[in-house]
Each structure stands twice: as structure tokens, then as C-alpha cells.
Amino acid sequence: MNRSPFLCLVVCLLLIAFITSAQQSQRRNRGETFYQCRNSNTLGSGDIWISLRGIGHVWDDDPIKMNSQVGDTGGPTASKRRWVSNIRAFPEIYLQGGITDYLSAHVSSRVLSYGFMPGWFGGGVKLTLPNNQDLRLNGIGLSMDYRYQMRESGPSLGGYTGFMPEGFVVKGHTFETVFVYELDLLPRLSILPLRFLANAGLRLPISKRHELYQLLLDLGVVYSGYGFDFFAQYNLESFNNIFKPLAVNDGPKQFLVWFTENPMYFTFGGDVRYDNGITLSLAIPLLLSVNQGSRMRTEDLVELHHQEENGIFTYEKDHGILDPFDPWFVKWKIVGTLSFPIRFKMSGAEMMRNYLLLKNRKQKKRIDIDNRLQLQEQSRPAAEKNEDNDAKRRLDEIKKKRETIIK
């Protein structure tokens, strides 16, 4: 028997079933990003998605405006203490477009930042393997981005250039390369729709301060339902200070940045999806950075200038450090994002993802119905159950008599 027509028929029936279910399924951005974590896929060819993001936080300005210059008396000069809390919110925009099934391009900008001026703008491309058309257990990708930073000071940590409330930046041109790996359990284990994401890369300033490049690491896990996602992730932007602290020169100032003082956050959040493609996302990053050595306090500044033996901050004094530093980044942020498609064509991979997620939801509903029927059966009166049993017994007797007559 030739099996090829049979196989073709089965494939056609499956495609018809998938297409029929996809007509009422959600529009999904195949190359979406879960806050900082990129997935390994790219947009479908010809697709265009836009995302509007708002980032809010509270950051407290440095209460001590310190000056590392030493006066004639041998002590540092410092202005009066003050404490000012500032609530800030910045709008950002992201635009993505699919070029081929394995190549997409994107542009983005923080349209309004400190001083009511644009913060940055940039763009880039994202690549993946040609098997992007199917759901993949293991997926890899590469993202390359260019960004022009408009501002690097005011406000800043302790007045140090580039150390802004949300992390370290360098004014001018910056190039960033990120390698992406994704483990997607859905195609192998549909009842456990988990995605594990790992992004590792390098951020290199081009205009100046080339020695202050940063190593980037984002680790995340995503649980996906048909109309929602939950995710948790770890985000790190590290200088080359994993094994020893980095000495940073900022004009007349010099200070140390230890590994635990790099900008690092734990982020949790989720998405709500609608069938027309609109996606609402909320993420809350919480600061994990921990201080080592001196802090940005007057007493620490004084101690660094007192070259006494058997004192504190001996490592910094031995290396000629006269200025303190601590990770006074924002303790938390609230990030809200609205995404929607401008042009969309359902890809085979996301069609299958919708089908599997919808199947899981229907299975759960069927289980609920079965449980409900069992409860109803248990709650029926005993008299009704006895009547059903009598009717079944009489029906069995009639069947036996009929079989006897036929024989």
C-alpha cells in the first residue's frame, strides 16, 4: 500500500484544523522581549509591531554634595546636607519589523528624559537560524544594537560622570552585541509551557571611555498561558571587575567599583494578551547591588584622606583612592508597556503555540466539567438513583429475552 497519499491527507487535515483554530487565536509577536530578556526568535516576515513604554521610579539625590579637593587645613570641603526625593517617569518607543523569517530590524528611543530632553535613540538587527518557522526546543539568536546617548550627568551618583540613577552610561555612540539562547519546553511538554532565556553580551562605548565597557547578562524564566505570561529574571550590567575592583578616573576624582556594586536587578512581571494582538505588560525591577568598602558619606571621605595605619578602607588607601563610592541606584522601578501590531501575518510557529496553549486551556475546562458532573451525581437524591438502577435492570432483562428468542 502506498502511504504517501494517506500522509498527505493527514497533513492537510492537520493544517486545516490549525488554520481553523488560528482564525480565533491571538496575534503574537514572535520576536517579543520580556522586559530585558530577548527571546531567540525574530518577527515574521513583513510584520510590524510598535511598543509604547513608561518607566517610573523614585530616586533620592545625593544628600551630600561632596568635593574631593582637600583644603589648606587638610580636611575635605563639603556643602550642607540635604535630601530631595524625586519621582520621575520617562516615555520610550520601540518599533520592530520583520525582514525575513530569520532577520528583523528595530529602532527605539527614550523620547523624554532628564531636563525634559531626549535621553537616547538607537536601532539594530536581530538574527536567528532559518528553522525559526517552527517551534524549537533549543533556539539561538544574535542581537546587534547601536545607541546614541544624549546625556551622562545631572543627576548622577555623587556627581560622578556617567553614573546615573538607572545605571552607567557614556554620552555619544555605543555599540552592543548580545547572544541569545532559549529553551522552550512547549513543543516537547505542552502541559508545562515554560521558556528559559539567557542573554549574554558586551556594551562598548565608541566615543570615549572605551575602558569602561560592560558585560551584560540577563537570565529569565517565563510561564505562558493562552492570554497571559508570568516572568522572573535577573539583570546584570557589570564592568570588568569580576575578580578585583575597577578603578574609575573621573577628572580629579578616582574611586573603586566592586563587582557587587554593579547595577543588578531582580525583576518580576507579567503580560496580559488580547486576541487582536494588544499586549499589556508590567515589570518591577528591584535593586540587588550591595556596597563594599567606602560609601558616599562625609565621614568616609574624611577617612580616605587620613592616611592612618590600621584604619578602615585599607585596600582603597593602598591604591591611592581618595573618593568613596556606593551603588546609589534607584531601589526599584515600575515599567509598563503597551504593544500592538501595525501589520501582521500569523506565522506557523505562533499558530502552533496558540494551538498548544489553547488545548491546555480546554483540557483544564474539561476536567472542571467532569468534576462538576461527579459532584452533581453525588448530590442526586437516593430515590432518583434507585429509579435509574431499576430502569437499567429492566433493560438488561429485555435484552436477554431478545437474545433467547433470536437463538
Side-chain angles (χ1 to χ4, degrees), residues 35-36 231-235 265-269 283-286:
Y35 182 53
Q36 295 282 66
F231 57 81
Q233 54 190 256
Y234 169 78
N235 314 111
Y265 286 86
F266 172 77
T267 303
F268 64 93
I284 302 178
L286 303 175

Side-chain angles (χ1 to χ4, degrees), residues 28-78:
R28 305 179 70 93
N29 181 349
R30 189 173 63 177
E32 65 186 333
T33 297
F34 299 94
Y35 182 53
Q36 295 282 66
C37 279
R38 304 168 173 90
N39 73 7
S40 63
N41 303 313
T42 60
L43 273 72
S45 177
D47 287 2
I48 301 175
W49 285 73
I50 188 170
S51 299
L52 306 176
R53 173 177 289 180
I55 299 179
H57 64 249
V58 175
W59 184 70
D60 298 304
D61 283 338
D62 188 354
I64 308 167
K65 294 298 181 181
M66 296 181 298
N67 188 338
S68 63
Q69 301 297 323
V70 180
D72 297 335
T73 60
T77 59

Side-chain angles (χ1 to χ4, degrees), residues 192-210:
L192 190 62
L194 290 177
R195 304 168 78 171
F196 297 93
L197 307 174
N199 300 174
L202 177 69
R203 178 182 296 154
L204 179 64
I206 300 175
S207 299
K208 56 183 179 179
R209 308 185 83 175
H210 312 293

Side-chain angles (χ1 to χ4, degrees), residues 274-308:
Y274 297 91
D275 288 346
N276 58 6
I278 293 178
T279 303
L280 301 176
S281 177
L282 179 66
I284 302 178
L286 303 175
L287 185 68
L288 300 178
S289 306
V290 178
N291 180 74
Q292 282 188 245
S294 59
R295 304 186 70 96
M296 289 188 289
R297 300 179 300 187
T298 300
E299 50 268 35
D300 290 11
L301 180 63
V302 171
E303 178 63 30
L304 288 174
H305 282 79
H306 287 172
Q307 300 297 326
E308 297 179 357

Side-chain angles (χ1 to χ4, degrees), residues 344-399:
F344 178 82
K345 181 180 179 181
M346 181 69 74
S347 63
E350 295 312 303
M351 186 184 301
M352 179 61 73
R353 187 180 301 278
N354 277 330
Y355 172 76
L356 294 176
L357 294 177
L358 187 60
K359 184 183 69 171
N360 290 338
R361 188 173 71 169
K362 289 181 177 179
Q363 286 178 346
K364 293 179 181 179
K365 287 184 177 181
R366 186 174 67 247
I367 293 173
D368 293 338
I369 292 174
D370 293 340
N371 292 335
R372 187 178 300 175
L373 291 176
Q374 291 178 2
L375 292 174
Q376 291 178 355
E377 181 68 21
Q378 294 174 0
S379 61
R380 290 175 60 189
E384 293 183 7
K385 293 182 180 180
N386 293 334
E387 290 180 2
D388 290 344
N389 292 334
D390 292 340
K392 184 178 180 181
R393 180 175 53 79
R394 288 194 297 268
L395 182 60
D396 291 338
E397 292 177 356
I398 293 173
K399 287 183 178 179

Side-chain angles (χ1 to χ4, degrees), residues 65 108 120-121 149 158 196 221-222 228 275 344 367 398:
K65 294 298 181 181
S108 58
W120 49 262
F121 61 85
Q149 183 73 32
F196 297 93
V221 57
V222 182
F228 62 90
D275 288 346
F344 178 82
I367 293 173
I398 293 173

